[in-house]
Amino acid sequence: MTAEIINGKDLAQEIRMGMKEEVTQLKERGISPHLTVVLVGDNPASRSYVKGKEKAAAEVGISSSVIELPADTSEKALLDRIHTLNEDENVDGILVQLPLPKHISEQKVIETINPAKDVDGFHPVNIGRMMIGEDTFLPCTPYGILTMLQSRDITIEGKHAVVIGRSNIVGKPVGQLLLNENATVTYCHSRTPDLREVTSKADILVVAIGKPNVITAEDIKDGAVVIDVGINRLETGKLTGDVDFDGTKEKASFITPVPKGVGPMTIAMLLKNTIKAARGLEPLE
Ligand code: NAD
């Protein structure tokens, strides 16, 4: 079997086209979504991610602004800035680009963002709403993964989904979203003694480790759906995922490439969340 490739770049483009239409209609009703990105320090990777987000926002008609702060900005100054953005009626979505300099607590920053403007979906209130299945801002990468599966009508209900990785931004929430869709979910991580024993039983395998080629064809079941979240830069400069793509694609039914896989979907979902923030979340029952 040769897997069908789920191209996240093309799917994200398609989704952006739909959002452009939606934003035009919102603007006719006087709602003009605005995203503010806060960038602290000058990590080149962060800078390039921020540029990608600005460009994608502009493409769908969402206005954005970037607040650049020096690396030695104090935690208090950053939190004060966030409070100001929380109060600013013209700002619908706030995203603080991670990672932050070591002297600033990322968790404190995340918890300071008004949950109604938390378009990254990292605030504990939004994570909690996701867990109980309420309307919320889903964290962008897991949301992108779910959208990729749904775009190919891949059945999730009743399937065994295995997630490798348990970070708060990818592993844990993607497992929760798959559970919300009625999958039977197993989490694996760095302390899992026999990874292959678990991955070889997965109908849907989500790999979010951050190390190249950890998963090979021998680790998966025939016909598995393989979602590769990892982004690793090899010494050659080439970008690669966590999965041995060439070998695995001969055994899987669907697979996502790196690049052009989950990455572009993450940004598309950020824009979706920004539009949602401009419209307003549904209140809790
Ligand atoms: P993280 O470092 O916070 O978490 C990595 C997880 O992998 C940990 O839970 C750890 O227990 C597990 N792990 C490490 N080594 C392992 C091993 N040998 N076997 C099994 N589990 C192991 O990373 P993260 O923030 O979740 O990101 C994971 C990867 O996804 C990174 O490459 C990151 O760059 C990428 N990422 C991509 C996107 C995207 O949009 N495509 C978004 C976020 C993260």
Side-chain angles (χ1 to χ4, degrees):
M1 166 181 286
T2 300
E4 280 188 45
I5 294 167
I6 313 178
N7 184 312
K9 189 172 178 229
D10 291 348
L11 180 58
Q13 170 72 26
E14 210 179 288
I15 292 171
R16 282 200 301 273
M17 303 260 283
M19 283 194 282
K20 192 171 177 176
E21 189 65 42
E22 201 181 342
V23 171
T24 307
Q25 286 171 11
L26 277 178
K27 284 183 177 167
E28 280 163 10
R29 287 170 38 204
I31 300 171
S32 190
H34 184 87
L35 171 70
T36 297
V37 180
V38 182
L39 177 63
V40 186
D42 43 29
N43 176 332
S46 293
R47 195 169 285 278
S48 123
Y49 289 142
V50 169
K51 277 217 150 44
K53 288 166 186 172
E54 276 186 284
K55 187 168 162 261
E59 211 182 302
V60 304
I62 295 178
S63 64
S64 65
S65 46
V66 179
I67 298 176
E68 293 198 30
L69 300 173
D72 62 359
T73 301
S74 70
E75 184 179 274
K76 181 174 183 306
L78 178 58
L79 298 183
D80 287 346
R81 200 66 190 246
I82 294 170
H83 282 300
T84 308
L85 294 172
N86 284 344
E87 299 302 319
D88 187 341
E89 279 183 9
N90 296 317
V91 175
D92 297 298
I94 304 170
L95 181 150
V96 179
Q97 184 64 45
L98 304 179
L100 289 169
K102 292 232 161 9
H103 65 278
I104 300 176
S105 155
E106 289 188 351
Q107 201 51 35
K108 249 191 213 170
V109 167
I110 288 169
E111 292 188 24
T112 301
I113 296 171
N114 177 349
K117 296 189 177 189
D118 167 39
V119 286
D120 249 341
F122 293 163
H123 193 288
V125 166
N126 288 322
I127 302 277
R129 289 178 71 131
M130 174 189 69
M131 283 201 77
I132 59 175
E134 288 291 336
D135 186 38
T136 188
F137 300 111
L138 298 176
C140 302
T141 301
Y143 190 11
I145 293 168
L146 187 64
T147 305
M148 289 176 110
L149 296 171
Q150 289 168 338
S151 77
R152 297 303 186 98
D153 292 325
I154 293 167
T155 305
I156 301 172
E157 180 164 325
K159 298 293 176 187
H160 184 192
V162 172
V163 178
I164 318 180
R166 54 173 165 181
S167 70
N168 289 335
I169 62 169
V170 187
K172 279 185 205 161
V174 78
Q176 182 63 51
L177 288 187
L178 293 167
L179 177 66
N180 290 358
E181 296 295 323
N182 299 316
T184 302
V185 180
T186 306
Y187 287 96
C188 298
H189 45 78
S190 53
R191 311 281 174 89
T192 303
D194 187 349
L195 207 55
R196 182 172 296 174
E197 204 255 323
V198 188
T199 59
S200 60
K201 295 190 182 119
D203 300 309
I204 299 171
L205 179 64
V206 180
V207 191
I209 301 173
K211 291 178 188 154
N213 291 327
V214 180
I215 294 299
T216 64
E218 290 74 54
D219 298 311
I220 72 158
K221 177 162 127 178
D222 266 318
V225 175
V226 180
I227 306 289
D228 189 355
V229 189
I231 303 176
N232 307 291
R233 194 169 289 280
L234 301 178
E235 277 177 14
T236 57
K238 188 176 174 255
L239 270 193
T240 181
D242 295 346
V243 175
D244 165 33
F245 182 80
D246 291 336
T248 306
K249 81 173 192 311
E250 299 307 324
K251 201 172 168 190
S253 57
F254 290 92
I255 191 166
T256 65
V258 179
K260 298 187 184 168
V262 176
M265 291 298 293
T266 298
I267 299 187
M269 296 304 112
L270 167 71
L271 303 180
K272 265 201 162 233
N273 280 346
T274 305
I275 294 172
K276 193 181 186 110
R279 285 179 186 277
L281 276 182
E282 287 164 25
L284 286 170
E285 294 283 303

